[in-house]
Amino acid sequence: MQAIKRFSKPCIAQLQAEIQDAGGNEVFALGFLDKQGLVSTLEVSARGKEDRVLAVDKRLEAADVFIHNHPSGLLTPSDADLGIAAQVAQVGVGCFIVDNQVKQVYVVVEPTKKRPHKKLHAATIIAALEARGAIAKRLPVYENRHSQLDLMRLIIQGFNEDALVAAEAGTGVGKSFAYLLPALNYALANDERIVISTATITLQQQLYEKDIPLVASVIEELEKIEKIEKSEKVEQSEKKEKKLKVVLIKGRGHYLCRRRFEAALQEQRFLADGDSEDLLAIKAWIETTKTGSRSDLSFMPAEGLWSRICAEVDCCMGMHCPEREGCFVLALRKESADARILVVNHHLLFADLAARYEGAGYNHTVVLPPYTRVIIDEAHTVEEAATSFFSQEFSRLGINRHLGRLYRRTRGGSPLGLLVTLTATVSAEPQLEALEAAILVIRDTADTLDYAALELCHAEGVFRLTPARDQIIQGTLIPRFTALRKLITPFTGRIRDLLDQVAPQDEDNPTVWEVKSILRRLDAIGTICTAFIEFKERTAEVLWIERHFSSSTGPSKGPWVVFTVSPIAVAPSLKDALFQPNKTVVCVSATLTVADSFAYWNVRCGLNLVRERQVLTGQFPSPFPYSSSVLLSIPKDAPLPNQDPYQAFVDRAVVALTQCAGGSALVLFTSYEALRSAYTAAVPVLEPEGIRCLKQGDDDRNRLLRTFLADEQSVLFATDSFWEGVDAPGDTLRLVILCRLPFRTPHEPVFEARCEALQKQGANPFMELSLPESVMKFKQGFGRLIRRSSDRGVVAVLDGRVLWKRYGAFFLRSLPETKTSFEDFETILRQTEQFLYP
């Protein structure tokens, strides 16, 4: 066929020039059709030699045709050509082969006509959130929020223009509705799947159970009204087709595996009493649960028990599983296959993105069904969540747990475990004795490594491997890592030899799958050992050890360490896996800026690395009346944190301020040691006055929060995780005390490594990392106080650096305008009482 019938003349000239520039070798290009169906725009994606077929560009899905030339002039497609054609055809992209002069074209696959992109009508959608709008009518209390409508306009623009969006929406803006209305409308209009990702399961549940059903009902009602106005008759089948399907998905570990549960029941008599009781309770629960999700249980089973019965990916037998008909995960996967809205958490999203970027592709179900548009709520946590996902770790407790699943002895001395069953299956029982001996040696070696690592942690509780510490590392850790790896490799090899002896009819035996799963985990531990041994060559990673404690009286009692390998930078991975391949990515949070700039967040998350994409940003201030409802107090006579009287001052100030407020206080610390000191000082003074003192660590986080919310005269002493995610409206919370600016500990391993990386680049780690990170967390702590427009209270900052250090201005500039008191502490006490009880 003549090329002029498929290409515009300028496009032919461009392709001829590209081939000539490539020396007549192969050129691979993406073609875009005009209204006449001709290829009128080209983007060269790769160049190669005659005998080389290059990988398909990741932007393929946006194109209409994949084009390459045959330098030989013979246009008949090779097997490699047909393979590429089949691959591109799966996403509706055609495949053309041309000669070097672009005179002839061979159409291997015709391009599929793309569905027109239906843009959102901003005025119609925004009207639903305005006064007397469809959503306003359904809310028990409605407040007209101009910043919410402005945020929605930006998000609508992001969908309509295939743009990337970063938006900071202050507390009370109502960001959930601002992104849900555009997302659900877009999914319905274009029949596209949209992923909504959150940092916590709590927010997942709120979106799925409360916010999305409300928005979906509004959209359905508006559609009916529109059809009535147009006098359109709609068949029942079309109504069903248009109904928007929403599915909530958690990580597999949150769901029960029926097969693993049945296996645990078989060993029930060997479990601890508490685990045995929980197992029986779960047995009754299985008969009634529709989801199999752990959050549906009325109690929280022990972590060790749940890890044995949950649906972990490397224990899954897939279509070979005898319980597949009742599989909760398989049912969820079927549900999500035709869903248009998926509500997930960040860890699950990163698992899917990583698999796709590493080669699984963007057009098939991997962890999630395919998608091209993503909304990330609580986006300030993206870097931390990505770091956590891409990190690897192990401990002696984990090793012991895996080995115990393979082989252990009961109290009576009887052998038990997967290897007992496996050796019986292949008639290799005599090998059990040697395997048991190997397990004991591995346990002893892991213990020795653990003890040596504990010695290095000292008072700080952490130890980072650096070249400067090479001598002590070579003398203590490296020989033990080497010994552990040398033991794991032949041990797993010996068990694989047994697996090779399994008869074909027994290959689907659940024991075989469980053993393979544990071997993969032991191999992963061996890989981490290798990383630690090669720590000096691992310049893109940080390798570190952290001490942990347990209150358990069992085998895990006492301290132990966790060995972790983490990436120093996640920005390039986020750029390549998240921002680049997706058409629209909307990132929203109450805290994305520092001193009104997105620069810090953009750099940490890789948005600044994105080229040739439209990036929209916007700040949307809280509608709450901070200027009249909040008193920001900072005592000018407070000692600085590096001065000896500082902790004594904090202990006294916390008690005095809480007395003024009559309880209803949240006291936030940056260290547990400081928390304990203040709590110890407060209890004998406050509790006799009827002010209940609650302390993080004394109960489960959710139960602790419920107790605090139920008692308006209580005070909660908390650290790190409570700086965000605490929602206590009304008189439950009238006083927030930020004891110290939340700078990260300088010797925290990942933070320290990132600071060093910035120094090597000639940057200032304090100004580019430490300060902006602290400001964002400070904003989160401040944001705990006002949760609705009628709230009123005091935020007291007991760190004088805000007033006396030049960088203190960054903290103050990042807060909304409030009443302020920067007086001596006694004056602040009087003003606090007057403000709270005018």
Side-chain angles (χ1 to χ4, degrees), residues 179 196-201 203-204 207 343-346 377-378:
Y179 64 67
I196 301 174
S197 181
T198 76
T200 63
I201 290 177
L203 182 53
Q204 265 189 282
L207 291 173
V343 184
V344 306
N345 57 50
H346 295 346
D377 202 342
E378 300 171 308

Side-chain angles (χ1 to χ4, degrees), residues 177-481:
F177 284 144
Y179 64 67
L180 286 176
L181 267 165
L184 270 63
N185 271 287
Y186 192 91
L188 199 60
N190 291 281
D191 194 29
E192 281 194 36
R193 183 178 291 109
I194 297 173
V195 172
I196 301 174
S197 181
T198 76
T200 63
I201 290 177
T202 301
L203 182 53
Q204 265 189 282
Q205 297 283 162
Q206 177 187 317
L207 291 173
Y208 181 74
E209 297 172 3
K210 181 182 175 183
D211 296 345
I212 291 177
L214 174 59
V215 173
S217 68
V218 167
I219 291 174
E220 288 177 13
E221 180 179 316
L222 293 175
E223 277 197 322
K224 289 177 183 176
I225 293 172
E226 184 181 356
K227 286 178 170 57
I228 291 171
E229 289 175 349
K230 292 181 178 179
S231 301
E232 292 181 3
K233 185 177 179 182
V234 182
E235 298 294 333
Q236 189 67 29
S237 61
E238 186 181 339
K239 288 182 181 178
K240 286 182 180 178
E241 187 180 56
K242 280 286 187 180
K243 190 172 179 64
L244 195 68
K245 187 172 182 181
V246 182
V247 174
L248 181 147
I249 309 177
K250 303 170 191 174
R252 293 181 62 113
H254 289 275
Y255 300 95
L256 180 130
C257 171
R258 290 181 182 272
R259 177 187 62 76
R260 301 187 80 205
F261 174 77
E262 290 298 328
L265 275 181
Q266 301 302 315
E267 297 182 0
Q268 181 184 344
R269 67 184 186 278
F270 303 114
L271 298 176
D273 292 341
D275 286 353
S276 183
E277 291 174 9
D278 286 352
L279 207 62
L280 291 176
I282 292 172
K283 183 179 181 181
W285 169 74
I286 288 177
E287 301 302 320
T288 60
T289 180
K290 294 180 180 179
T291 67
S293 173
R294 178 169 57 172
S295 62
D296 292 348
L297 280 165
S298 59
F299 63 96
M300 188 63 66
E303 193 60 39
L305 174 63
W306 186 258
S307 68
R308 289 190 59 180
I309 61 176
C310 67
E312 294 178 329
V313 65
D314 55 358
C315 294
C316 181
M317 296 178 64
M319 297 309 294
H320 301 280
C321 180
E323 299 286 343
R324 65 183 177 277
E325 294 299 324
C327 175
F328 295 114
V329 171
L330 189 58
L332 182 64
R333 177 166 283 201
K334 289 178 180 177
E335 276 290 294
S336 63
D338 62 344
R340 286 298 168 259
I341 300 292
L342 302 179
V343 184
V344 306
N345 57 50
H346 295 346
H347 189 88
L348 195 64
L349 174 64
F350 290 138
D352 183 79
L353 291 171
R356 293 183 188 281
Y357 178 68
E358 289 167 6
Y362 292 85
N363 310 309
H364 310 283
T365 294
V366 184
V367 178
L368 302 172
Y371 52 88
T372 57
R373 303 186 194 270
V374 183
I375 294 173
I376 300 181
D377 202 342
E378 300 171 308
H380 64 281
T381 64
V382 163
E383 183 187 25
E384 183 179 354
T387 301
S388 174
F389 175 78
F390 290 111
S391 294
Q392 299 172 288
E393 64 180 36
F394 80 91
S395 69
R396 69 171 171 86
L397 299 187
I399 291 177
N400 289 339
R401 184 168 61 250
H402 299 323
L403 295 177
R405 290 283 293 124
L406 289 174
Y407 186 88
R408 63 193 183 279
R409 288 187 178 272
T410 66
R411 293 175 183 174
S414 301
L416 187 67
L418 296 166
L419 290 182
V420 175
T421 307
L422 177 62
T423 54
T425 301
V426 297
S427 303
E429 291 92 335
Q431 293 197 38
L432 269 178
E433 184 177 346
L435 290 169
E436 180 182 17
I439 285 173
L440 292 174
V441 175
I442 293 174
R443 284 183 187 272
D444 288 343
T445 305
D447 287 346
T448 302
L449 173 61
D450 189 78
Y451 298 148
L454 280 170
E455 290 294 318
L456 296 176
C457 288
H458 302 303
E460 296 84 8
V462 294
F463 180 85
R464 178 181 162 215
L465 281 72
T466 64
R469 293 170 163 173
D470 185 51
Q471 187 173 354
I472 190 171
I473 293 168
Q474 295 293 342
T476 56
L477 295 178
I478 300 303
R480 292 169 173 83
F481 276 120

Side-chain angles (χ1 to χ4, degrees), residues 545-564:
I545 302 163
E546 184 174 23
R547 182 175 60 225
H548 290 253
F549 291 95
S550 173
S551 57
S552 170
T553 57
S556 62
K557 67 179 180 179
W560 77 94
V561 301
V562 174
F563 302 94
T564 306

Side-chain angles (χ1 to χ4, degrees), residues 503-515:
Q505 64 268 24
D506 292 324
E507 287 179 354
D508 288 342
N509 187 318
T511 295
V512 172
W513 287 77
E514 290 283 335
V515 169

